[in-house]
Amino acid sequence: MERPAWAPPGIDISVPSVSRMYDFYLGGSHNFEVDREAARKAMEFMPGLPKIMQANRAFMRRAVRFAVDNGITQFLDIGSGIPTFGNVHEVAQAACPEARVVYVDHDPVAVAHSRAVLEGNDHATVLSADLRKPQQILSSPEVTSFLDLDRPVALLLVAVLHFLEDEDEPQAAVAELLDALAPGSLVILTHASYEGIPLTEEEAGGTVAVYRNIRNPLVMRSHTEIARFFDGCELVEPGLVSMPRWRPDVPLEEEDPYAFSGFAGVGRKA
């Protein structure tokens, strides 16, 4: 398999990556055939996956605009993936040119491409790190030099927590991150769930099996389980809801049924 010029040396391009599969769902070009093959297999069971990802990105953009409208101009996006049109820095800096963004991902392709996209942008940077190690993120030069943690920060955990199994202690990781942030900070997250998917759990389970087979288990949590990630925060209206229902800017009847899969919410730290 020929290695594209944009692929960092040393990565195994024979193994699917969830961030490159996500890029494929969104119509991006930074993915390999192995990623496309896995994504197509997942779509055999859940053909609306691209619609889910589009709804996910649309929610993220609305939530970032909400943060800026509420005076927050610092963003920590963990599990940021491969930058696509309308990413956090573009939305935030369109509303406030001085907004500062730190992207965090552990996929080398996502990190390398983020660096290329952000070249010349003095108010955004990228860090190679893992959500499972919050202190590695919080103590990094990228975070300490770019963000003032004594002022409110918007912490984005968009479509990432469902790739952490319970033994990874995702709730503890979120709590540790929030504990380091100033009062008034926001946590913006989305999470996959069997609830809302226009399929039976058995049918949707085929997609879950695809991710398990590529050693990136997709953990489908309930509304109650996802709500626990907001412990210590007050949920912003309308609460933890399906992605299109969070402060929609298009009529809900125009949304694809798959867009209502899973949940999204924004919490404000007390």
Side-chain angles (χ1 to χ4, degrees):
M1 186 185 303
E2 186 176 350
R3 180 182 298 273
W6 50 262
I11 69 165
D12 187 348
I13 62 176
S14 68
V15 177
S17 151
V18 294
S19 64
R20 298 194 303 265
M21 289 170 67
Y22 188 93
D23 178 67
F24 172 74
Y25 293 135
L26 289 173
S29 59
H30 286 78
N31 47 76
F32 307 127
E33 181 54 35
V34 67
D35 306 308
R36 295 187 285 274
E37 183 180 342
R40 292 188 194 107
K41 184 66 176 176
M43 288 170 63
E44 288 179 14
F45 300 99
M46 199 181 295
L49 277 169
K51 295 296 183 182
I52 296 173
M53 306 312 167
Q54 289 164 19
N56 190 76
R57 298 290 294 188
F59 159 77
M60 179 273 290
R61 291 191 287 268
R62 297 195 303 276
V64 168
R65 288 195 294 268
F66 171 83
V68 176
D69 288 346
N70 282 269
I72 294 180
T73 58
Q74 303 186 103
F75 297 84
L76 178 58
D77 184 359
I78 302 178
S80 51
I82 296 169
T84 56
F85 176 75
N87 212 358
V88 174
H89 71 282
E90 293 177 334
V91 178
Q93 291 173 358
C96 174
E98 300 304 308
R100 304 178 76 83
V101 180
V102 177
Y103 290 113
V104 182
D105 207 288
H106 63 79
D107 184 305
V109 171
V111 172
H113 191 51
S114 296
R115 289 195 174 120
V117 167
L118 298 174
E119 188 173 356
N121 189 327
D122 295 334
H123 290 85
T125 190
V126 60
L127 164 67
S128 177
D130 196 310
L131 173 57
R132 296 171 184 85
K133 299 178 180 178
Q135 282 307 316
Q136 182 186 69
I137 296 170
L138 294 167
S139 63
S140 68
E142 289 83 356
V143 169
T144 57
S145 65
F146 255 72
L147 304 180
D148 179 0
L149 299 188
D150 291 327
R151 294 192 300 112
V153 172
L155 169 65
L156 287 95
L157 298 166
V158 176
V160 63
L161 289 166
H162 48 232
F163 290 114
L164 270 63
E165 297 182 274
D166 289 345
E167 56 258 40
D168 295 320
E169 300 185 329
Q171 192 171 351
V174 174
E176 191 170 348
L177 289 163
L178 278 170
D179 187 57
L181 303 184
S185 292
L186 299 178
V187 57
I188 297 168
L189 69 82
T190 63
H191 199 295
S193 176
Y194 284 120
E195 298 174 45
I197 298 176
L199 298 171
T200 66
E201 185 171 325
E202 183 178 16
E203 290 169 330
T207 291
V208 173
V210 171
Y211 279 89
R212 183 171 60 247
N213 290 341
I214 64 170
R215 299 179 183 176
N216 281 285
L218 178 59
V219 183
M220 308 290 266
R221 295 187 170 95
S222 69
H223 184 279
T224 299
E225 291 171 320
I226 297 166
R228 294 189 188 118
F229 289 117
F230 291 99
D231 285 355
C233 294
E234 177 187 359
L235 274 168
V236 170
E237 288 293 334
L240 183 62
V241 294
S242 59
M243 293 177 287
R245 296 185 187 280
W246 198 90
R247 301 184 177 231
D249 51 14
V250 299
L252 293 178
E253 57 268 24
E254 294 181 10
E255 296 282 2
D256 186 277
Y258 274 97
F260 295 88
S261 306
F263 294 101
V266 176
R268 182 180 284 110
K269 181 179 176 180

